[in-house]
Amino acid sequence: MTQDAYREMWETLNLDLAAHDGLLAVLGKFYGDIYMSQQGRLKGMEYLDFVLSEVHGLRIKELMDAKAQGRKIVGTFCVFVPEELTLAVDAVQVGLCAGADAGREAAETLVPRNTCALIKSFIGFKLARLCPYTESCDLIVGETTCDGKKKAYEAFAAHAPLYVMEVPQTKSDAARVLWKAEILRYMARLEDLTGTKITAEKLAEAIKTVNARRRALQRLNRLRAAVPAPISGRDVLLINQVSFYDDPARFTASINTLCDQLEERIKAEEGVAPADAPRLMLSGCPMAVPNWKLPYIIESSGAVIVGEESCIGTRNTRDLVDESAQTLDEMLDALVDRYLRIDCACFTPNQERLDNIETMARDLKADGVIQYALMFCQPYAHEAIKVEKRLGAADIPSMALETDYSMEDVEQLKTRVEAFLETLK
Ligand code: BJ8
């Protein structure tokens, strides 16, 4: 498609074209500096570069074509929304990225200033008419996770076709009953939206599709345990980010090809950083596209990131849905169980997250962990204290950072990261 045809498509979606041009220019420059400057990238990353270069182009065209065929587009902000149900009604699910400081001033007319950058970002993108994904959606699914999101959705509902899932805050038996009811309610909403009934056959297929993507990402995560690290943390973060909006089957095939290349590289004992480069794991809040600030700072300071304990990382891929269920109800139970294993900091208590972090740091042979929290994020800031204690008891060095999407603190973050790396020597 030509640039003119893209502009026509964006105009149809009612984007603010001038502001959108500005956003794409910044994104392109940022991507060039952070990604294309890396040495020794795998051939398979060309696919990701292509997807990113067409992020508001070709993929949006695909969504438009899907809509023209009568398919619905469902946008989400949280890994609690079961994509299996969305696929089972032949709708397309896209994660609505919220990783840029765009439309902040407009967002602050709807939510308080001391709201985390992720929430302000999704509201800002909508109010400033900057995101073709948001504008393509027939339904946007929110969820009652943290207080910030819960209250923000009340304001957001006046601007978008919003539906909110009630996510329990504990893992009790009563919570499970609530979550099952919510899954059934969401299923009915999707059936109503699309006019398609979910059958055992369709759901089984959708479960397989999403599990296959998780397996490919699990494989990628296992390969990162190699020394020297065969792929940069920046590239894996990008892969995880793209997983939220690319076509699932195409994405899975591309990541498996990339993993084949990684295996070759590991056999040849080649790495993206020297074998003695400090190996760091990130833990905490999700980093949505195009939030690449901290990974860039870390890796340009001589360390390599070997894991992301985050929803745009292993929290989204660690658990599979049991594929042995036969009936629709058994499949729904399998979904309920799988999603209730998510160890988001919004749960109380949340002991399993501490166990998962320690296990992951050991499996990846991490020399240290950097905890990442967005400013004003209460759940992850609270858990940072516990995580630090737990890692300290396990003799794994860690440091907790709080930041947002602005570039103002880059130097300060760099100084702290470098000081942390010094302590690891
Ligand atoms: S399952 S982590 S994607 S809720 S950073 S908005 S928590 S104040 S994003 Fe999340 Fe689902 Fe949990 Fe994962 Fe609130 Fe914190 Fe902001 Fe956050």
Side-chain angles (χ1 to χ4, degrees):
M1 253 176 104
T2 63
Q3 202 57 24
D4 282 349
Y6 280 161
R7 290 185 76 77
E8 213 171 283
M9 177 173 77
W10 297 329
E11 208 160 14
T12 315
L13 285 169
N14 195 28
L15 294 193
D16 176 338
L17 288 187
H20 184 250
D21 286 348
L23 177 74
L24 287 191
V26 173
L27 190 67
K29 160 94 179 67
F30 207 37
Y31 193 75
D33 292 348
I34 294 179
Y35 279 95
M36 306 313 281
S37 61
Q38 295 180 96
Q39 302 294 317
R41 289 175 90 212
L42 289 160
K43 181 107 185 75
M45 287 309 295
E46 282 173 9
Y47 171 72
L48 279 299
D49 291 336
F50 174 72
V51 173
L52 224 272
S53 71
E54 285 288 339
V55 63
H56 282 193
L58 211 52
R59 184 61 180 142
I60 298 298
K61 169 78 171 63
E62 287 180 349
L63 298 187
M64 293 298 105
D65 291 346
K67 276 166 93 84
Q69 290 160 9
R71 297 174 71 194
K72 301 292 181 190
I73 313 295
V74 176
T76 63
F77 299 111
C78 175
V79 299
F80 258 98
V81 182
E83 187 170 353
E84 292 86 349
L85 294 178
T86 315
L87 296 182
V89 289
D90 199 27
V92 182
Q93 183 161 311
V94 287
L96 298 175
C97 52
D101 212 3
R104 177 160 36 96
E105 279 177 24
E108 286 176 2
T109 63
L110 281 193
V111 295
R113 216 175 57 78
N114 59 350
T115 298
C116 87
L118 190 148
I119 294 172
K120 280 193 215 169
S121 179
F122 76 70
I123 293 182
F125 269 109
K126 176 68 200 171
L127 297 184
R129 296 188 285 123
L130 278 169
C131 177
Y133 290 91
T134 306
E135 301 308 325
S136 306
C137 284
D138 299 290
L139 187 72
I140 294 183
V141 187
E143 73 314 315
T144 59
T145 44
C146 67
D147 285 354
K149 273 185 169 175
K150 269 189 285 228
K151 300 310 285 182
Y153 291 136
E154 287 176 18
F156 192 62
H159 300 267
L162 190 75
Y163 172 88
V164 178
M165 292 188 86
E166 185 172 350
V167 176
Q169 312 283 293
T170 74
K171 308 263 172 98
S172 65
D173 290 346
R176 192 185 182 286
V177 172
L178 165 67
W179 184 233
K180 171 97 187 257
E182 279 302 287
I183 293 229
L184 290 171
R185 189 170 70 92
Y186 180 51
M187 179 171 148
R189 181 70 188 86
L190 284 173
E191 289 178 339
D192 188 47
L193 177 77
T194 59
T196 303
K197 207 92 198 109
I198 293 184
T199 60
E201 202 187 353
K202 284 182 189 146
L203 188 54
E205 198 188 319
I207 288 173
K208 281 203 181 95
T209 302
V210 184
N211 270 351
R213 185 179 62 204
R214 293 187 185 115
R215 283 195 188 95
L217 290 166
Q218 287 176 354
R219 183 179 168 206
L220 174 65
N221 280 323
R222 277 195 304 274
L223 293 171
R224 292 170 84 188
V227 180
I231 186 166
S232 72
R234 266 169 285 177
D235 278 342
V236 180
L237 175 62
L238 180 70
I239 290 167
N240 278 301
Q241 290 171 334
V242 168
S243 73
F244 284 88
Y245 58 83
D246 198 9
D247 172 76
R250 180 176 59 199
F251 173 85
T252 303
S254 310
I255 299 313
N256 277 321
T257 305
L258 184 96
C259 286
D260 295 342
Q261 294 168 14
L262 272 179
E263 281 170 356
E264 290 302 311
R265 179 172 272 189
I266 292 166
K267 252 190 245 153
E269 295 185 15
E270 286 170 13
V272 285
D276 61 352
R279 299 166 63 87
L280 295 185
M281 186 178 116
L282 287 174
S283 167
C285 291
M287 290 181 177
V289 178
N291 179 8
W292 304 309
K293 178 170 79 170
L294 187 58
Y296 178 61
I297 291 172
I298 292 171
E299 295 199 328
S300 59
S301 302
V304 59
I305 298 166
V306 292
E308 300 78 21
E309 187 275 326
S310 141
C311 284
I312 304 192
T314 52
R315 188 170 303 118
N316 189 34
T317 58
R318 185 174 45 230
D319 300 308
L320 300 175
V321 177
D322 182 2
E323 290 179 20
S324 66
Q326 298 297 316
T327 66
L328 183 59
D329 197 49
E330 285 168 0
M331 287 173 202
L332 292 170
D333 277 330
L335 282 185
V336 169
D337 291 338
R338 186 268 166 199
Y339 281 84
L340 265 191
R341 284 201 291 275
I342 296 173
D343 58 353
C344 171
C346 296
F347 280 89
T348 180
N350 196 26
Q351 179 65 27
E352 59 268 42
R353 178 163 175 245
L354 302 180
D355 300 338
N356 286 332
I357 291 173
E358 187 181 333
T359 307
M360 190 175 158
R362 289 196 192 289
D363 289 350
L364 292 168
K365 306 179 197 81
D367 298 310
V369 174
I370 293 190
Q371 290 201 69
Y372 162 81
L374 282 173
M375 236 149 3
F376 309 121
C377 172
Q378 291 287 330
Y380 283 92
H382 274 275
E383 290 205 348
I385 299 167
K386 288 186 181 180
V387 171
E388 194 168 0
K389 275 194 195 138
R390 174 63 175 265
L391 290 173
D395 274 335
I396 301 171
S398 74
M399 172 177 71
L401 293 177
E402 268 192 331
T403 182
D404 57 17
Y405 295 165
S406 79
M407 290 297 146
E408 282 159 21
D409 61 351
V410 166
E411 285 309 314
Q412 195 193 334
L413 288 173
K414 197 164 170 48
T415 307
R416 289 204 56 199
V417 167
E418 285 170 356
F420 181 59
L421 294 179
E422 273 300 309
T423 67
L424 299 181
K425 278 185 182 160

